[in-house]
């Protein structure tokens, strides 16, 4: 019997890419590939790239070049690019980066095994010519579900699969293979985006918004719970739009309680919420449903009306503060994070001061600040009245300093409170670390637990906050209060 081919998946970018990588892993394993962690031990290294902004694209190119350096020094024979950057640039990326032995778009995912075998066999799979994926689906959301079956939607792999096509775990096994043993996993709720923010190119290569069926989301969550997952994070480009193409814009409000009732799941967290699409019923479910985290990842981007309108977005400082007040009326300790762009074309000093006013009053737990840069293919790239790079850099540094100070203050407000912590790592050098309800994976800080003895990954622990380190909390476990699976995270 011939030796099994080995493959390593290197994932860059957001949680949505992580889900896509695990679907690719499921497809490859089902077709006989052996998955390995170390790219140097693989016949082929598959780099799942990010194509969002210049820094992410540079990281993706660096990862491809690093994987290419392995060729000739070990087992690695080929390096293949997949993901958003590969989809966005296709043939252009292949020509600019000959070190990549293949550049595969989303349409290649269903045949990923055949593509890799062709490349390893010395054959060539021609890279695709990029196209606007928004044009692949009907304009009307309600007409998309039928059309969506003929369009590649990474992370939407079917659930009730024929025997042998996915990891064995009963009839609910999804087309997915976990790539780590973390007690946290992302679940894709939808793909694409119908918004037309002037600075963002994502809809052009991710396509129009299309929801997954609630039954698929539920069955995948049940399967993940069987794998030992304690927390799921719902991801998409815009979770507040979930269900609009299924005929029910309030579908998320009914789905969340069902997810929270899945045996073994302790936490359900929702990411990527649009402030303009928040509604009272969704706020109520997020702030009052046991095991659903009172966590709000709100994409504000700015708060000055002039800048927001130029961004093709809605709202202003006072409306955003009213939204935060409504959230905290339901859950005073709710976690809130957001990202902001400074130095946008036409942004005045008064606009920047308005953003600073919002930040000073918003009491956000985590803040990401980015300096504006042109993204090809976006409306904003055509705008005049752009700031010099040094002006953007100065504004970025100024608002970043403020953000760092404010999130540290917000962490200090939690001193003396009791938090429930999901333990994520136990290490002799770094100690015991996990996250509280207001902290999402990798983006919002963590909780450092004192005393470390007896803690295990995946355990829920009640602890008292006794200190802070910037955005991070230091907490002391309460005696005899490790949470059981029947307890809620409230």
């Amino acid at each position: 019997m011939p030796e099994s081919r080995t493959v390593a998946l290197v994932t860059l970018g957001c949680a949505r890419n992580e889900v896509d990588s695990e679907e690719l892993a499921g497809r490859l394993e089902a077709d006989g590939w052996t998955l390995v962690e170390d790219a140097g031990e693989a016949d082929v290294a598959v780099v799942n790239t990010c194509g969002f902004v210049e820094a992410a694209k540079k990281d993706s190119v660096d990862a491809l070049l690093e994987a290419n350096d392995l060729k000739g020094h070990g087992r690695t024979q080929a390096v293949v690019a997949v993901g958003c950057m590969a989809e966005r640039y296709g043939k252009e990326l292949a020509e600019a980066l000959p070190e990549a032995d293949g550049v595969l778009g989303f349409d290649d995912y269903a045949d990923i095994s055949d593509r890799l075998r062709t490349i390893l066999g010395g054959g060539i799979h021609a890279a695709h010519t990029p196209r606007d994926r928004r044009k692949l689906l009907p304009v009307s959301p309600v007409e998309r579900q039928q059309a969506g079956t003929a369009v590649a939607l990474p992370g939407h792999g079917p659930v009730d699969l024929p025997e042998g096509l996915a990891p064995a775990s009963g009839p609910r096994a999804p087309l997915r293979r976990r790539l780590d043993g973390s007690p946290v996993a992302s679940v894709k709720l939808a793909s694409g985006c119908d918004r037309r923010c002037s600075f963002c190119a994502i809809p052009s290569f991710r396509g129009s918004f299309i929801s997954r069926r609630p039954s698929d989301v539920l069955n995948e969550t049940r399967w993940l719970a069987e794998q030992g997952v304690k927390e799921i994070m719902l991801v998409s480009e815009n979770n507040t739009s979930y269900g609009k193409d299924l005929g029910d814009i309030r579908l998320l409000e009914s789905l969340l309680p069902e997810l929270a009732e899945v045996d073994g799941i302790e936490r359900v967290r929702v990411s990527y919420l649009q402030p303009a699409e928040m509604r009272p019923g969704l706020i109520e479910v997020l702030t009052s449903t046991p095991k659903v985290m009172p966590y709000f990842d709100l994409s504000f981007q700015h708060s000055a009306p002039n800048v927001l309108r130029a961004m093709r977005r809605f709202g202003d400082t006072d409306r955003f503060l009213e939204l935060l007040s409504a959230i905290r009326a339901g859950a005073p300790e709710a976690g809130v994070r957001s990202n902001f762009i400074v130095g946008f074309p036409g942004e005045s000093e008064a606009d920047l001061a308005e953003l600073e006013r919002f930040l000073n009053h918003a009491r956000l737990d985590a803040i990401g600040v980015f300096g504006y840069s042109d993204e090809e293919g976006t409306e904003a790239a055509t705008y005049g009245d752009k700031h010099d790079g040094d002006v953007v850099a100065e504004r970025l540094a100024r608002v970043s300093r403020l953000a760092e100070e404010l999130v540290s203050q917000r962490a200090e407000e939690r001193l003396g409170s009791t938090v429930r912590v999901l333990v994520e790592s136990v290490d002799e050098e770094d100690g015991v670390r996990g996250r509280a309800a207001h902290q999402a994976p990798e983006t919002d800080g963590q909780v450092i637990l004192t005393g470390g003895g007896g803690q295990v990954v995946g355990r829920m622990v009640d602890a008292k906050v006794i200190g802070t380190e910037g955005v991070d909390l230091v907490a002391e476990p309460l005696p005899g209060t490790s949470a059981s699976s029947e307890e809620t995270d409230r």
Side-chain angles (χ1 to χ4, degrees):
M1 184 173 180
E3 182 181 4
S4 172
R5 291 289 200 178
T6 57
V7 58
L9 284 143
V10 180
T11 306
L12 293 95
C14 64
R16 301 185 294 275
N17 256 16
E18 294 171 6
V19 176
D20 295 350
S21 284
E22 293 198 349
E23 182 186 301
L24 290 174
R27 291 182 182 277
L28 289 165
E29 187 173 67
D31 202 40
W33 291 75
T34 298
L35 295 156
V36 297
E37 292 185 17
D38 186 353
E41 299 299 320
D43 293 312
V44 57
V46 176
V47 180
N48 193 347
T49 60
C50 178
F52 183 35
V53 294
E54 281 304 319
K57 287 183 276 190
K58 182 181 183 304
D59 289 344
S60 295
V61 170
D62 288 346
L64 287 163
L65 293 175
E66 183 178 339
N68 182 68
D69 288 342
L70 297 171
K71 290 191 294 188
H73 300 285
R75 180 162 182 163
T76 307
Q77 301 171 49
V79 175
V80 174
V82 298
C84 289
M85 188 176 180
E87 173 62 39
R88 184 176 181 183
Y89 295 104
K91 190 176 297 185
E92 181 183 341
L93 177 63
E95 292 171 354
L97 196 71
E99 291 85 354
D101 299 286
V103 173
L104 306 181
F106 297 152
D107 293 332
D108 292 308
Y109 281 22
D111 301 308
I112 185 69
S113 180
D114 289 342
R115 299 288 186 266
L116 297 189
R117 291 185 190 281
T118 294
I119 293 167
L120 277 178
I124 296 174
H125 179 72
H128 65 285
T129 299
R131 53 183 171 168
D132 188 338
R133 295 190 73 86
R134 289 172 293 192
K135 298 178 180 179
L136 302 182
L137 291 168
V139 173
S140 170
V142 296
E143 297 177 7
R144 289 181 192 158
Q145 283 296 316
Q146 178 102 22
T149 60
V151 174
L153 297 169
H156 287 230
V159 179
D160 300 312
L161 295 166
E163 185 176 354
L165 192 57
S169 184
R172 293 189 303 270
L175 188 57
R176 180 171 181 171
R177 196 268 203 188
R178 297 220 66 205
L179 293 174
D180 61 39
S182 170
V184 184
S186 295
V187 175
K188 190 165 280 193
L189 196 60
S191 287
C193 186
D194 288 342
R195 302 185 71 86
R196 294 296 179 262
C197 301
S198 64
F199 56 84
C200 183
I202 288 176
S204 66
F205 56 85
R206 277 288 184 179
S208 297
F209 185 89
I210 187 164
S211 305
R212 293 183 74 194
R213 294 182 303 167
S215 58
D216 283 353
V217 177
L218 274 164
N219 285 336
E220 186 166 333
T221 298
R222 294 186 183 110
W223 179 81
L224 287 167
E226 292 173 358
Q227 312 305 305
V229 169
K230 300 299 183 184
E231 175 179 332
I232 63 163
M233 185 167 74
L234 300 178
V235 300
S236 75
E237 278 73 22
N238 178 11
N239 282 330
T240 34
S241 283
Y242 180 68
K244 73 176 186 179
D245 53 322
L246 295 170
D248 185 0
I249 191 60
R250 294 176 177 80
L251 194 55
L252 185 56
E253 285 94 307
S254 58
L255 177 61
L256 285 171
E258 293 185 69
L259 292 169
E261 291 175 1
V262 172
D263 288 343
I265 295 298
E266 299 283 354
R267 286 179 172 174
V268 178
R269 188 182 303 275
V270 185
S271 61
Y272 306 114
L273 300 169
Q274 284 291 341
E277 297 181 28
M278 292 299 295
R279 46 197 179 266
L282 180 55
I283 293 173
E284 181 179 359
V285 169
L286 287 169
T287 56
S288 65
T289 306
K291 295 189 179 181
V292 175
M293 296 301 92
Y295 174 80
F296 295 80
D297 176 10
L298 294 163
S299 176
F300 289 122
Q301 301 299 347
H302 213 283
S303 73
N306 293 336
V307 177
L308 286 167
R309 301 308 171 265
M311 290 178 169
R312 303 294 183 200
R313 297 177 67 85
F314 305 94
D316 56 45
T317 294
D318 293 334
R319 290 183 192 178
F320 291 163
L321 292 177
E322 288 172 5
L323 172 59
L324 293 176
S325 294
I327 289 168
R328 288 170 176 144
E333 296 305 312
V336 186
R337 81 166 324 274
S338 193
N339 293 325
F340 300 89
I341 299 173
V342 297
F344 196 79
E347 179 191 61
S348 66
E349 278 292 337
D351 293 328
L352 195 65
E354 183 68 0
L355 173 58
E356 291 171 327
R357 179 171 82 88
F358 172 69
L359 292 174
N360 276 303
H361 287 86
R363 296 171 58 230
L364 302 179
D365 292 277
I367 300 170
V369 187
F370 302 90
Y372 173 81
S373 62
D374 284 339
E375 271 299 305
E376 58 191 293
T378 63
E379 181 183 354
T382 69
Y383 287 176
D385 201 14
K386 289 179 182 158
H387 297 288
D388 291 339
D390 56 348
V391 173
V392 175
E394 187 278 326
R395 292 184 179 185
L396 174 61
R398 169 178 156 185
V399 178
S400 295
R401 285 193 298 269
L402 175 63
E404 185 175 350
E405 178 183 345
L406 291 173
V407 296
S408 295
Q409 291 176 5
R410 177 63 176 144
E412 290 170 1
E413 291 179 23
R414 297 186 183 274
L415 284 169
S417 66
T418 298
V419 293
R420 180 153 293 176
V421 180
L422 172 60
V423 177
E424 292 189 302
S425 66
V426 179
D427 184 85
E428 286 188 10
E429 185 173 335
D430 293 332
V432 180
R433 296 173 183 261
R435 289 176 298 101
H438 68 282
Q439 297 167 317
E442 300 182 5
T443 60
D444 301 341
Q446 57 190 337
V447 179
I448 304 164
L449 290 174
T450 63
Q455 301 298 351
V456 295
V457 171
R459 174 175 292 172
M460 305 293 291
V461 178
D462 288 332
K464 181 179 180 180
V465 180
I466 60 173
T468 64
E469 295 181 5
V471 71
D472 296 335
L473 304 180
V474 180
E476 180 179 47
L478 299 177
T481 58
S482 292
S484 69
S485 61
E486 290 76 27
E487 294 175 306
T488 65
D489 198 271
R490 294 236 170 276

